[in-house]
Amino acid sequence: MVKIRYSYKKDLLVLIYINLAILIILFSLFNIQSHRNKEVAVLGATDNSDYWEEITLKHPTYRDAWVELGRMDKVYEIDPNYNR
């Protein structure tokens, strides 16, 4: 009587492929969920005056912060040669 050997290679490959597919699906779902919870901010669409005021407190001679706040009197005080 001849013994028939069963090859487990095919079964192992199928199991690995199924696990990889499940892993890819889980990562995709996690990625979609993380993007769904993220707030998208467009530059210039929001009021950043609090940020610029904080910058002027830390660096009172930073001209561009005063320009962003619209305080041109302070800009001319810091830099008299600023283009008008």
Side-chain angles (χ1 to χ4, degrees), residues 15-59:
L15 183 65
I16 289 173
Y17 288 144
I18 290 173
N19 285 333
L20 284 175
I22 290 172
L23 189 65
I24 289 171
I25 290 170
L26 288 176
F27 279 141
S28 299
L29 290 175
F30 176 75
N31 193 19
I32 289 171
Q33 187 67 25
S34 67
H35 281 292
R36 190 177 288 173
N37 293 337
K38 204 181 283 186
E39 232 180 84
V40 177
V42 178
L43 292 177
T46 59
D47 183 27
N48 294 330
S49 61
D50 294 335
Y51 170 75
W52 289 113
E53 286 176 8
E54 185 179 320
I55 295 295
T56 57
L57 291 175
K58 289 180 184 176
H59 309 284

